[in-house]
Amino acid sequence: MQRTAFGTQTTTVTPIGLGLAALGRPGYINLGHDAQLGADKTIAGMEANAHRVLQTAWDAGVRYFDAARSYGRAEQFLASWLAKNAAIANEITVGSKWGYTYVADWQTNLPAGQKHEVKEHSLANF
């Protein structure tokens, strides 16, 4: 996949990226699609699944990956995949964002009214 400049920066990205939101926490998908993640929603199972998806994306030419603290363990899963594939670490671009914190502690059936993430865009949080 051909890389292009990211805006006016010298950073380059592939035109297709992979967002890790649904790969980093078991309760992220709340519209009935969580079955697509497979039955094993343990941390180890989710990490193995994330690694498979990351590798498939890499093999398809994807070099832009999006993760965030609010994506549960997505950043950790990306880091552990890169640790196993250290030779390619300098070939990817990672995007992130701030302001949301994952608070569900790997629980998928939270009580009514309890949120999976908390939104706070204060300067102190930044």
Side-chain angles (χ1 to χ4, degrees):
M1 215 177 290
Q2 187 174 357
R3 297 173 71 112
T4 59
F6 185 69
T8 60
Q9 305 298 313
T10 57
T11 302
T12 61
V13 295
T14 50
I16 296 174
L18 175 67
L20 280 71
L23 299 176
R25 62 191 231 201
Y28 191 89
I29 299 177
N30 58 5
L31 299 174
H33 298 289
D34 64 323
Q36 295 171 355
L37 295 175
D40 186 357
K41 295 195 180 57
T42 64
I43 293 171
M46 293 282 293
E47 182 175 34
N49 185 57
H51 285 194
R52 283 189 296 276
V53 173
L54 286 161
Q55 190 62 50
T56 299
W58 171 264
D59 292 344
V62 173
R63 300 296 183 264
Y64 177 76
F65 299 92
D66 173 71
R69 190 173 291 173
S70 64
Y71 295 174
R73 295 181 182 249
E75 292 173 325
Q76 292 169 286
F77 294 169
L78 178 59
S80 63
W81 178 71
L82 286 171
K84 292 179 180 180
N85 298 282
I88 66 171
N90 289 331
E91 297 183 42
I92 72 164
T93 302
V94 177
S96 190
K97 62 217 63 69
W98 67 279
Y100 293 84
T101 303
Y102 175 63
V103 295
D105 193 32
W106 219 256
Q107 302 301 310
T108 56
N109 295 318
L110 296 177
Q114 188 173 344
K115 298 180 180 183
H116 286 262
E117 63 186 21
V118 175
K119 176 182 173 180
E120 186 201 338
H121 290 113
S122 69
L123 182 58
N125 191 40
F126 180 66

